[in-house]
Coordinates of all heavy atoms in Angstrom, one line a residue:
M938 N 11.2 38.5 -6.8 CA 11.6 38.1 -8.2 C 13.1 38.2 -8.3 O 13.7 39.2 -7.9 CB 10.8 39.1 -9.2 CG 11.2 38.8 -10.6 SD 10.3 39.9 -11.7 CE 10.6 39.1 -13.2
N939 N 13.7 37.2 -8.9 CA 15.1 37.2 -9.2 C 15.3 37.3 -10.7 O 14.7 36.6 -11.5 CB 15.8 35.9 -8.7 CG 15.9 35.9 -7.2 OD1 16.0 36.9 -6.6 ND2 15.9 34.7 -6.6
V940 N 16.2 38.2 -11.1 CA 16.6 38.3 -12.6 C 18.1 38.4 -12.7 O 18.7 38.8 -11.8 CB 15.9 39.5 -13.3 CG1 14.4 39.4 -13.3 CG2 16.3 40.8 -12.6
K941 N 18.6 38.0 -13.8 CA 20.0 38.1 -14.1 C 20.2 39.3 -15.0 O 19.6 39.5 -16.0 CB 20.5 36.9 -14.9 CG 20.6 35.6 -14.0 CD 21.3 34.5 -14.8 CE 21.4 33.3 -14.0 NZ 22.0 32.2 -14.7
A942 N 21.1 40.2 -14.6 CA 21.4 41.4 -15.3 C 21.9 41.1 -16.7 O 21.6 41.9 -17.6 CB 22.4 42.3 -14.5
S943 N 22.6 40.0 -16.9 CA 23.2 39.7 -18.2 C 22.2 39.2 -19.2 O 22.5 39.0 -20.3 CB 24.3 38.7 -18.0 OG 23.7 37.5 -17.4
E944 N 20.9 39.1 -18.8 CA 19.9 38.6 -19.7 C 18.9 39.6 -20.2 O 18.0 39.4 -20.9 CB 19.1 37.4 -19.1 CG 20.0 36.2 -18.8 CD 19.2 35.1 -18.1 OE1 18.1 35.3 -17.7 OE2 19.8 34.0 -18.0
H945 N 19.0 40.9 -19.7 CA 18.1 41.9 -19.9 C 18.8 43.2 -20.2 O 19.9 43.5 -19.8 CB 17.1 42.1 -18.8 CG 16.4 40.9 -18.4 ND1 15.3 40.4 -19.1 CD2 16.6 39.9 -17.4 CE1 14.8 39.3 -18.5 NE2 15.6 39.0 -17.5
S946 N 18.1 44.1 -20.9 CA 18.6 45.5 -21.2 C 18.3 46.4 -20.0 O 17.5 46.0 -19.1 CB 17.9 46.1 -22.4 OG 16.5 46.3 -22.2
C947 N 18.9 47.5 -20.0 CA 18.7 48.5 -18.9 C 17.2 48.9 -18.8 O 16.7 48.9 -17.7 CB 19.5 49.8 -19.1 SG 21.3 49.5 -19.0
S948 N 16.6 49.1 -19.9 CA 15.2 49.6 -19.8 C 14.3 48.4 -19.3 O 13.3 48.6 -18.6 CB 14.7 50.1 -21.2 OG 14.9 49.1 -22.2
E949 N 14.6 47.2 -19.7 CA 13.8 46.0 -19.2 C 14.0 45.9 -17.7 O 13.0 45.6 -17.0 CB 14.3 44.7 -20.0 CG 13.8 44.6 -21.4 CD 14.5 43.4 -22.1 OE1 15.5 42.9 -21.6 OE2 13.9 43.1 -23.2
L950 N 15.2 46.0 -17.2 CA 15.4 45.9 -15.8 C 14.6 47.0 -15.0 O 14.0 46.7 -14.0 CB 16.9 46.0 -15.5 CG 17.8 44.9 -15.9 CD1 19.3 45.3 -15.8 CD2 17.5 43.6 -15.1
T951 N 14.7 48.2 -15.5 CA 13.9 49.3 -14.9 C 12.5 49.0 -14.9 O 11.8 49.2 -13.9 CB 14.2 50.6 -15.6 OG1 15.6 50.9 -15.6 CG2 13.5 51.8 -14.9
Q952 N 11.9 48.5 -16.0 CA 10.5 48.2 -16.1 C 10.1 47.1 -15.1 O 9.1 47.2 -14.5 CB 10.2 47.9 -17.5 CG 8.7 47.7 -17.8 CD 8.4 47.4 -19.2 OE1 9.3 47.2 -20.0 NE2 7.1 47.3 -19.5
M953 N 10.9 46.1 -15.0 CA 10.6 44.9 -14.1 C 10.6 45.4 -12.7 O 9.7 45.0 -11.9 CB 11.7 43.8 -14.3 CG 11.4 42.9 -15.5 SD 12.5 41.5 -15.5 CE 13.8 42.1 -16.6
I954 N 11.5 46.2 -12.3 CA 11.6 46.7 -10.9 C 10.3 47.6 -10.6 O 9.7 47.4 -9.6 CB 12.9 47.6 -10.7 CG1 14.1 46.6 -10.7 CG2 12.8 48.3 -9.3 CD1 15.4 47.3 -10.8
R955 N 9.9 48.4 -11.5 CA 8.7 49.2 -11.3 C 7.5 48.4 -11.3 O 6.5 48.7 -10.5 CB 8.6 50.3 -12.4 CG 9.6 51.4 -12.2 CD 9.5 52.5 -13.1 NE 10.4 53.5 -12.7 CZ 10.8 54.5 -13.5 NH1 10.3 54.6 -14.7 NH2 11.7 55.4 -13.1
Q956 N 7.4 47.3 -12.1 CA 6.2 46.5 -12.1 C 6.1 45.6 -10.9 O 5.0 45.3 -10.4 CB 6.1 45.7 -13.4 CG 5.8 46.5 -14.6 CD 5.9 45.7 -15.9 OE1 6.5 44.6 -15.9 NE2 5.3 46.2 -16.9
N957 N 7.2 45.0 -10.5 CA 7.2 44.0 -9.4 C 7.5 44.5 -8.0 O 7.4 43.8 -7.1 CB 8.2 42.9 -9.8 CG 7.8 42.1 -11.0 OD1 6.9 41.4 -11.0 ND2 8.6 42.4 -12.1
K958 N 7.9 45.8 -7.9 CA 8.1 46.5 -6.7 C 9.3 46.0 -5.9 O 10.0 46.8 -5.2 CB 6.9 46.5 -5.7 CG 5.6 47.0 -6.4 CD 5.7 48.4 -6.7 CE 4.3 48.9 -7.3 NZ 4.5 50.0 -8.1
K959 N 9.7 44.8 -6.0 CA 10.8 44.3 -5.3 C 11.5 43.2 -6.1 O 10.9 42.2 -6.5 CB 10.4 43.6 -3.9 CG 11.6 43.2 -3.1 CD 11.1 42.7 -1.8 CE 12.3 42.2 -0.9 NZ 11.9 41.6 0.3
V960 N 12.8 43.5 -6.5 CA 13.5 42.6 -7.4 C 14.9 42.4 -7.0 O 15.5 43.4 -6.5 CB 13.5 43.2 -8.9 CG1 14.3 42.4 -9.8 CG2 12.1 43.4 -9.4
F961 N 15.4 41.2 -7.0 CA 16.8 40.9 -6.7 C 17.5 40.7 -8.1 O 17.1 39.8 -8.8 CB 17.0 39.7 -5.8 CG 18.4 39.5 -5.4 CD1 18.9 40.2 -4.4 CD2 19.2 38.5 -6.1 CE1 20.3 40.0 -4.0 CE2 20.5 38.3 -5.7 CZ 21.0 39.1 -4.6
V962 N 18.5 41.6 -8.4 CA 19.2 41.5 -9.7 C 20.5 40.8 -9.5 O 21.3 41.3 -8.7 CB 19.3 42.9 -10.3 CG1 20.1 42.8 -11.6 CG2 18.0 43.5 -10.5
R963 N 20.7 39.7 -10.1 CA 22.0 39.0 -10.0 C 23.0 39.6 -10.9 O 22.8 39.9 -12.1 CB 21.8 37.5 -10.4 CG 20.9 36.8 -9.4 CD 21.3 35.3 -9.3 NE 20.6 34.7 -8.2 CZ 20.9 34.8 -7.0 NH1 22.0 35.3 -6.6 NH2 20.2 34.2 -6.0
V964 N 24.2 39.9 -10.3 CA 25.3 40.5 -11.0 C 26.5 39.7 -10.7 O 27.1 39.8 -9.6 CB 25.5 42.0 -10.6 CG1 26.6 42.6 -11.5 CG2 24.3 42.8 -10.7
G965 N 27.0 38.8 -11.6 CA 28.1 38.0 -11.3 C 27.7 37.0 -10.3 O 26.7 36.3 -10.3
F966 N 28.6 36.8 -9.3 CA 28.3 35.9 -8.2 C 27.3 36.4 -7.1 O 26.7 35.7 -6.5 CB 29.6 35.5 -7.5 CG 30.5 34.7 -8.3 CD1 31.7 35.2 -8.8 CD2 30.2 33.4 -8.7 CE1 32.6 34.4 -9.5 CE2 31.0 32.6 -9.5 CZ 32.2 33.2 -9.9
G967 N 27.3 37.7 -7.0 CA 26.4 38.3 -6.0 C 25.2 39.0 -6.7 O 24.7 38.6 -7.7
G968 N 24.7 40.0 -6.1 CA 23.6 40.7 -6.6 C 23.2 41.9 -5.8 O 23.8 42.2 -4.8
R969 N 22.2 42.6 -6.2 CA 21.7 43.8 -5.5 C 20.2 43.7 -5.4 O 19.5 43.2 -6.3 CB 22.0 45.0 -6.3 CG 23.5 45.2 -6.5 CD 24.1 46.4 -6.0 NE 25.5 46.7 -6.1 CZ 26.4 46.1 -6.7 NH1 26.2 45.1 -7.5 NH2 27.7 46.5 -6.6
S970 N 19.6 44.2 -4.3 CA 18.2 44.3 -4.1 C 17.7 45.6 -4.5 O 18.2 46.7 -4.1 CB 17.9 44.0 -2.6 OG 16.5 44.1 -2.4
F971 N 16.6 45.7 -5.3 CA 16.0 46.9 -5.7 C 14.5 46.9 -5.3 O 13.9 45.9 -5.4 CB 16.1 47.1 -7.2 CG 17.5 47.2 -7.8 CD1 18.2 46.1 -8.1 CD2 18.0 48.5 -7.9 CE1 19.5 46.2 -8.6 CE2 19.3 48.6 -8.4 CZ 20.0 47.5 -8.7
R972 N 14.1 48.1 -4.8 CA 12.7 48.2 -4.4 C 12.2 49.5 -5.0 O 12.9 50.5 -5.2 CB 12.6 48.3 -2.9 CG 12.8 47.0 -2.2 CD 12.6 47.2 -0.7 NE 12.9 45.9 -0.1 CZ 12.1 45.4 0.8 NH1 10.9 45.9 1.1 NH2 12.4 44.2 1.4
Y973 N 10.9 49.4 -5.4 CA 10.3 50.6 -6.0 C 8.9 50.7 -5.4 O 8.2 49.8 -5.3 CB 10.1 50.4 -7.5 CG 9.7 51.7 -8.2 CD1 10.7 52.6 -8.6 CD2 8.4 52.0 -8.5 CE1 10.3 53.8 -9.2 CE2 8.0 53.1 -9.1 CZ 8.9 54.0 -9.5 OH 8.6 55.2 -10.1
P974 N 8.5 51.9 -4.8 CA 9.3 53.1 -4.8 C 10.5 53.0 -3.9 O 10.5 52.2 -3.0 CB 8.3 54.1 -4.3 CG 7.2 53.3 -3.6 CD 7.2 52.0 -4.2
P975 N 11.5 53.9 -4.1 CA 12.7 53.8 -3.4 C 12.7 54.0 -1.9 O 13.6 53.5 -1.2 CB 13.6 54.8 -4.0 CG 12.8 55.6 -5.0 CD 11.5 54.9 -5.1
A976 N 11.7 54.6 -1.3 CA 11.6 54.8 0.1 C 11.4 53.6 0.9 O 11.5 53.6 2.1 CB 10.5 55.8 0.4
Q977 N 11.2 52.4 0.3 CA 10.8 51.2 1.0 C 12.0 50.2 1.2 O 11.8 49.0 1.1 CB 9.7 50.5 0.3 CG 8.4 51.3 0.3 CD 7.3 50.6 -0.4 OE1 7.5 49.7 -1.1 NE2 6.1 51.1 -0.1
C978 N 13.2 50.7 1.5 CA 14.3 49.8 1.8 C 14.0 49.2 3.2 O 13.4 49.8 4.1 CB 15.6 50.5 1.8 SG 16.2 51.0 0.2
S979 N 14.6 48.0 3.5 CA 14.4 47.4 4.8 C 15.3 48.1 5.8 O 16.2 48.8 5.5 CB 14.9 45.9 4.7 OG 14.1 45.2 3.7
M980 N 14.9 47.8 7.1 CA 15.7 48.4 8.2 C 17.1 47.8 8.1 O 17.3 46.6 7.8 CB 15.1 48.1 9.5 CG 13.8 48.9 9.8 SD 13.2 48.7 11.4 CE 12.4 47.1 11.3
G981 N 18.1 48.6 8.2 CA 19.5 48.1 8.1 C 20.1 48.3 6.7 O 21.2 48.0 6.5
D982 N 19.2 48.8 5.8 CA 19.7 49.0 4.4 C 19.6 50.5 4.2 O 19.0 51.3 4.9 CB 18.8 48.4 3.4 CG 18.9 46.9 3.4 OD1 20.0 46.4 3.9 OD2 18.1 46.2 2.8
K983 N 20.3 51.0 3.2 CA 20.3 52.4 2.8 C 20.0 52.4 1.3 O 20.3 51.5 0.5 CB 21.5 53.1 3.1 CG 22.8 52.6 2.4 CD 24.0 53.4 2.8 CE 25.2 52.9 2.0 NZ 26.4 53.7 2.4
R984 N 19.4 53.5 0.8 CA 19.2 53.7 -0.6 C 20.4 54.4 -1.3 O 21.0 55.3 -0.7 CB 17.9 54.6 -0.8 CG 17.4 54.6 -2.2 CD 16.2 55.4 -2.3 NE 16.5 56.7 -2.9 CZ 15.9 57.8 -2.6 NH1 14.9 57.8 -1.8 NH2 16.3 58.9 -3.1
T985 N 20.7 53.9 -2.4 CA 21.9 54.5 -3.1 C 21.8 54.2 -4.6 O 20.8 53.6 -5.1 CB 23.2 53.8 -2.6 OG1 24.3 54.5 -3.2 CG2 23.2 52.3 -2.9
T986 N 22.7 54.8 -5.4 CA 22.7 54.5 -6.8 C 23.7 53.4 -7.0 O 24.6 53.2 -6.2 CB 23.2 55.7 -7.6 OG1 24.5 56.1 -7.2 CG2 22.2 56.9 -7.5
T987 N 23.5 52.6 -8.0 CA 24.4 51.5 -8.3 C 24.5 51.3 -9.8 O 23.6 51.7 -10.6 CB 23.9 50.2 -7.7 OG1 25.0 49.2 -7.8 CG2 22.7 49.7 -8.3
S988 N 25.6 50.8 -10.3 CA 25.8 50.6 -11.7 C 26.0 49.2 -12.0 O 26.6 48.5 -11.2 CB 26.9 51.5 -12.3 OG 28.1 51.2 -11.7
L989 N 25.5 48.7 -13.1 CA 25.8 47.3 -13.5 C 25.7 47.2 -15.0 O 25.3 48.2 -15.7 CB 24.7 46.4 -12.9 CG 23.2 46.8 -13.0 CD1 22.6 46.2 -14.3 CD2 22.5 46.4 -11.8
R990 N 26.2 46.1 -15.6 CA 26.1 45.9 -17.0 C 25.0 45.1 -17.5 O 24.7 44.1 -16.8 CB 27.5 45.3 -17.5 CG 28.6 46.2 -17.2 CD 29.7 46.0 -18.3 NE 30.8 46.9 -18.0 CZ 31.0 48.1 -18.5 NH1 30.1 48.6 -19.4 NH2 32.0 48.8 -18.3
D991 N 24.3 45.5 -18.5 CA 23.2 44.7 -19.0 C 23.6 43.7 -20.0 O 24.8 43.4 -20.2 CB 22.1 45.7 -19.6 CG 22.5 46.3 -20.9 OD1 23.6 46.1 -21.3 OD2 21.7 47.1 -21.4
A992 N 22.6 43.1 -20.7 CA 22.9 42.0 -21.7 C 23.8 42.4 -22.8 O 24.6 41.6 -23.3 CB 21.5 41.5 -22.2
G993 N 23.7 43.7 -23.2 CA 24.5 44.2 -24.3 C 25.8 44.8 -23.9 O 26.6 45.3 -24.7
G994 N 26.1 44.7 -22.6 CA 27.4 45.2 -22.1 C 27.3 46.7 -21.7 O 28.3 47.3 -21.4
K995 N 26.1 47.3 -21.9 CA 25.9 48.7 -21.6 C 25.9 48.9 -20.1 O 25.3 48.1 -19.4 CB 24.6 49.2 -22.2 CG 24.3 50.6 -22.0 CD 22.9 50.9 -22.7 CE 22.4 52.3 -22.2 NZ 21.0 52.5 -22.5
Q996 N 26.4 50.0 -19.7 CA 26.5 50.4 -18.3 C 25.1 51.0 -17.9 O 24.7 52.0 -18.5 CB 27.6 51.4 -18.0 CG 27.9 51.7 -16.5 CD 28.7 50.6 -15.9 OE1 29.3 49.8 -16.6 NE2 28.8 50.6 -14.6
C997 N 24.4 50.4 -16.9 CA 23.2 50.9 -16.4 C 23.4 51.6 -15.0 O 24.1 51.0 -14.2 CB 22.2 49.8 -16.1 SG 21.8 48.8 -17.5
I998 N 22.8 52.7 -14.8 CA 22.8 53.3 -13.5 C 21.4 53.4 -13.0 O 20.5 54.0 -13.6 CB 23.4 54.8 -13.5 CG1 24.9 54.6 -14.0 CG2 23.3 55.4 -12.2 CD1 25.6 56.0 -14.1
L999 N 21.2 52.7 -11.9 CA 19.9 52.6 -11.2 C 20.0 53.3 -9.9 O 20.9 53.1 -9.1 CB 19.4 51.1 -11.1 CG 19.4 50.3 -12.4 CD1 19.0 48.9 -12.1 CD2 18.3 50.9 -13.3
D1000 N 19.0 54.1 -9.6 CA 19.1 55.0 -8.4 C 18.2 54.6 -7.3 O 17.9 55.3 -6.4 CB 18.8 56.5 -8.8 CG 17.3 56.6 -9.3 OD1 16.7 55.6 -9.5 OD2 16.9 57.8 -9.5
Y1001 N 17.8 53.3 -7.2 CA 17.0 52.9 -6.1 C 17.4 51.5 -5.6 O 16.6 50.7 -5.2 CB 15.5 52.9 -6.4 CG 15.2 52.5 -7.9 CD1 15.2 51.2 -8.3 CD2 14.9 53.5 -8.8 CE1 14.9 50.9 -9.6 CE2 14.5 53.2 -10.1 CZ 14.5 51.9 -10.5 OH 14.3 51.6 -11.8
A1002 N 18.7 51.3 -5.5 CA 19.2 50.1 -4.9 C 19.1 50.2 -3.4 O 19.4 51.2 -2.8 CB 20.7 49.9 -5.3
C1003 N 18.8 49.1 -2.7 CA 18.8 49.0 -1.3 C 20.1 48.1 -0.9 O 20.1 47.0 -1.3 CB 17.6 48.3 -0.7 SG 16.1 49.3 -1.0
V1004 N 21.0 48.7 -0.2 CA 22.3 48.0 0.1 C 22.5 48.0 1.6 O 21.9 48.9 2.3 CB 23.5 48.6 -0.6 CG1 23.3 48.5 -2.1 CG2 23.7 50.1 -0.2
F1005 N 23.3 47.1 2.1 CA 23.7 47.0 3.5 C 24.3 48.4 4.0 O 25.1 48.9 3.3 CB 24.7 45.9 3.7 CG 25.2 45.7 5.1 CD1 24.4 45.1 6.0 CD2 26.4 46.3 5.5 CE1 24.8 44.9 7.3 CE2 26.8 46.1 6.8 CZ 26.1 45.4 7.7
D1006 N 23.8 48.9 5.1 CA 24.2 50.1 5.6 C 25.1 49.8 6.9 O 24.5 49.6 8.0 CB 23.1 51.0 6.0 CG 23.5 52.4 6.5 OD1 24.7 52.7 6.5 OD2 22.6 53.2 6.9
P1007 N 26.4 49.9 6.8 CA 27.2 49.6 8.0 C 27.0 50.6 9.1 O 27.3 50.3 10.3 CB 28.7 49.7 7.5 CG 28.6 50.5 6.2 CD 27.2 50.3 5.6
A1008 N 26.5 51.8 8.9 CA 26.3 52.8 9.9 C 25.0 52.7 10.6 O 24.7 53.4 11.6 CB 26.4 54.2 9.3
S1009 N 24.1 51.8 10.1 CA 22.8 51.7 10.7 C 22.8 51.0 12.1 O 23.5 50.0 12.2 CB 21.9 50.9 9.8 OG 20.6 50.6 10.4
P1010 N 22.1 51.5 13.0 CA 22.0 50.8 14.4 C 21.4 49.4 14.3 O 21.6 48.6 15.2 CB 21.2 51.8 15.2 CG 20.5 52.6 14.3 CD 21.3 52.7 13.0
Y1011 N 20.6 49.2 13.3 CA 20.0 47.9 13.1 C 21.0 46.7 12.8 O 20.6 45.6 12.9 CB 18.9 47.9 12.0 CG 17.7 48.8 12.4 CD1 17.6 50.0 11.8 CD2 16.8 48.4 13.4 CE1 16.5 50.8 12.2 CE2 15.7 49.2 13.7 CZ 15.6 50.4 13.1 OH 14.5 51.2 13.5
N1012 N 22.2 47.1 12.4 CA 23.1 46.1 12.0 C 24.2 45.8 13.1 O 25.1 45.1 12.9 CB 23.9 46.5 10.7 CG 22.9 46.5 9.5 OD1 22.0 45.7 9.4 ND2 23.1 47.5 8.6
F1013 N 23.9 46.3 14.3 CA 24.8 46.0 15.4 C 24.1 45.0 16.3 O 23.0 45.2 16.7 CB 25.2 47.3 16.2 CG 26.0 48.2 15.4 CD1 25.5 49.4 14.9 CD2 27.4 47.9 15.2 CE1 26.3 50.3 14.1 CE2 28.2 48.8 14.4 CZ 27.6 50.0 13.9
P1014 N 24.8 44.0 16.7 CA 24.2 43.0 17.6 C 23.9 43.5 19.0 O 24.4 44.4 19.5 CB 25.2 41.8 17.7 CG 26.5 42.4 17.2 CD 26.2 43.6 16.4

């Protein structure tokens, strides 16, 4: 599921991630991948906290982002 952070509130984003288990949140030109429960990040990713702005400009801090892990052995050719 893809959603735009600028179209939803922090609580709506959190609820969508929990209901859909895997959500890609667009933030500007890029985005972040969120999985719930947090232990299910893909190989080569790491779990971290991330902050973004919601529809009202409020700063959201979400603690289950899966982001690229440069230290992971899965990311070396």
Side-chain angles (χ1 to χ4, degrees):
M938 176 178 193
N939 287 333
V940 296
K941 288 186 180 179
S943 60
E944 294 177 354
H945 302 281
S946 69
C947 291
S948 59
E949 289 173 340
L950 289 169
T951 302
Q952 186 176 7
M953 279 188 264
I954 293 167
R955 287 188 176 159
Q956 287 176 341
N957 295 289
K958 306 295 184 206
K959 185 177 179 184
V960 178
F961 186 79
V962 179
R963 296 212 171 273
V964 185
F966 291 112
R969 304 231 174 19
S970 176
F971 294 89
R972 289 182 181 232
Y973 191 86
Q977 296 181 343
C978 287
S979 300
M980 290 188 281
D982 287 346
K983 65 179 178 178
R984 192 178 100 210
T985 187
T986 59
T987 190
S988 62
L989 49 93
R990 296 213 180 266
D991 69 359
K995 181 181 167 194
Q996 191 79 13
C997 303
I998 297 181
L999 301 175
D1000 63 351
Y1001 33 79
C1003 295
V1004 298
F1005 179 79
D1006 183 4
S1009 172
Y1011 293 105
N1012 292 325
F1013 293 106

